[in-house]
Amino acid sequence: RKTLDAYAGIQELAARDDSVLADKISRLIIWYSLQKKDLTEEDKNYLDASLVECYDRYGITFDNASVVDENGAFKEMPIIPDWYNVLLEKAETKHLAVVLTRYVTGSAAAMGRRNHISIDNKYIVLDTSGMPDDLILPGIYWAIDVANDIIMNAGGELSALIADELWSLVGAGSNPLAAAYVQEMVKTIRGLGGIAITSTQGMQDLFSLEGGKYGKGIINNSKTKVILNLEDEEAQRVGSILPLFEAEL
């Protein structure tokens, strides 16, 4: 059975028409961009190359079959200190390593270590409460990304993502890379028959980035909307977005 499972796992990965590593690298760069707002295209290219090198040292390449070992289990993956060390090796990328220092030797070092999250549980809580304000966005993105991976691998089992702070990734403090990822994730979860739930105390939170196109995208992909009692100004804002009758307003 183990041999069959290993074969099936490799076949499933190999059948994907995209690269698992390329997808992961793009998401890591989004996570990084939430902490370094002035990230240039040159910096993104350096980060991309450093991550390719980082994963290569673990035997993981753009060949999807390289993600699993001979038994069909996922290989050990790099962690943030590994990425940090690769960035430190070259003069042109040392300045990019500074952003990761907090996760290696600083106050957030616990987030840079290997974790013991059991993805076999039916109910998983990724708690971001108590995080410093400047770590909230990357922390929420990290939690959302983990949850998304779990949902994508749930197969036929119904999965639900309940993300109270999802709005922050499409708000003014975020960036288009993260917002577009969240919008696409919500659409994909729905397309797979799963559930994505979020909430906000102010509709303006969803519409404060690039004219609100990402927030509108999430609302338009929401089959069920629950609106609680609002002040008049906020109710009018909701009414301009959703087709509400005057009595509903």
Side-chain angles (χ1 to χ4, degrees):
R1 172 65 187 274
K2 190 172 184 180
T3 302
L4 288 174
D5 285 346
Y7 179 76
I10 292 173
Q11 289 296 99
E12 183 179 345
L13 284 172
R16 284 182 54 166
D17 58 3
D18 64 335
S19 167
V20 175
L21 177 58
D23 180 50
K24 185 62 179 179
I25 286 176
S26 68
R27 287 188 275 165
L28 283 168
I29 292 175
I30 294 173
W31 174 80
Y32 187 100
S33 73
L34 289 169
Q35 299 164 93
K36 186 173 173 55
K37 306 293 185 183
D38 58 344
L39 201 61
T40 66
E41 289 302 316
E42 184 179 28
D43 287 338
K44 290 178 186 176
N45 288 330
Y46 281 138
L47 291 173
D48 185 276
S50 68
L51 285 165
V52 171
E53 171 64 22
C54 189
Y55 276 90
D56 185 65
R57 294 180 184 184
Y58 279 75
I60 298 168
T61 67
F62 291 109
D63 179 359
N64 287 343
S66 69
V67 176
V68 294
D69 61 23
E70 63 276 7
N71 295 315
F74 281 109
K75 289 180 180 177
E76 185 173 74
M77 303 287 171
I79 54 178
I80 293 178
D82 296 315
W83 188 13
Y84 174 80
N85 290 331
V86 170
L87 289 171
L88 278 182
E89 290 175 2
K90 296 181 179 179
E92 62 267 28
T93 57
K94 281 187 176 180
H95 71 287
L96 296 172
V98 174
V99 173
L100 303 180
T101 303
R102 196 170 183 179
Y103 300 97
V104 180
T105 58
S107 59
M111 292 181 64
R113 302 183 191 128
R114 301 194 183 280
N115 63 67
H116 301 286
I117 298 172
S118 175
I119 60 174
D120 295 324
N121 291 334
K122 291 294 185 183
Y123 188 74
I124 301 170
V125 177
L126 300 172
D127 187 6
T128 59
S129 62
M131 281 186 173
D133 289 345
D134 59 336
L135 284 184
I136 286 293
L137 274 181
I140 291 172
Y141 180 86
W142 167 81
I144 293 294
D145 196 37
V146 171
N148 186 42
D149 277 345
I150 294 171
I151 291 173
M152 292 302 106
N153 290 298
E157 294 186 32
L158 182 65
S159 293
L161 168 64
I162 305 172
D164 188 45
E165 301 293 330
L166 188 67
W167 62 266
S168 63
L169 290 171
V170 298
S174 186
N175 63 47
L177 287 174
Y181 170 77
V182 169
Q183 181 183 0
E184 186 61 30
M185 178 194 70
V186 171
K187 291 168 63 177
T188 302
I189 290 174
R190 276 210 61 192
L192 291 173
I195 303 167
I197 302 172
T198 188
S199 64
T200 178
Q201 293 183 347
M203 286 291 284
Q204 72 275 9
D205 295 334
L206 285 169
F207 302 104
S208 53
L209 182 66
E210 293 197 348
K213 69 177 183 180
Y214 304 106
K216 290 174 185 175
I218 290 175
I219 287 180
N220 290 338
N221 279 282
S222 300
K223 185 176 182 180
T224 303
K225 308 167 185 70
V226 179
I227 308 170
L228 303 181
N229 188 38
L230 301 171
E231 295 297 328
D232 183 67
E233 181 181 351
E234 189 73 358
Q236 294 298 330
R237 182 180 291 112
V238 172
S240 69
I241 299 162
L242 303 178
L244 301 179
F245 297 114
E246 187 61 32
E248 291 174 320
L249 280 178

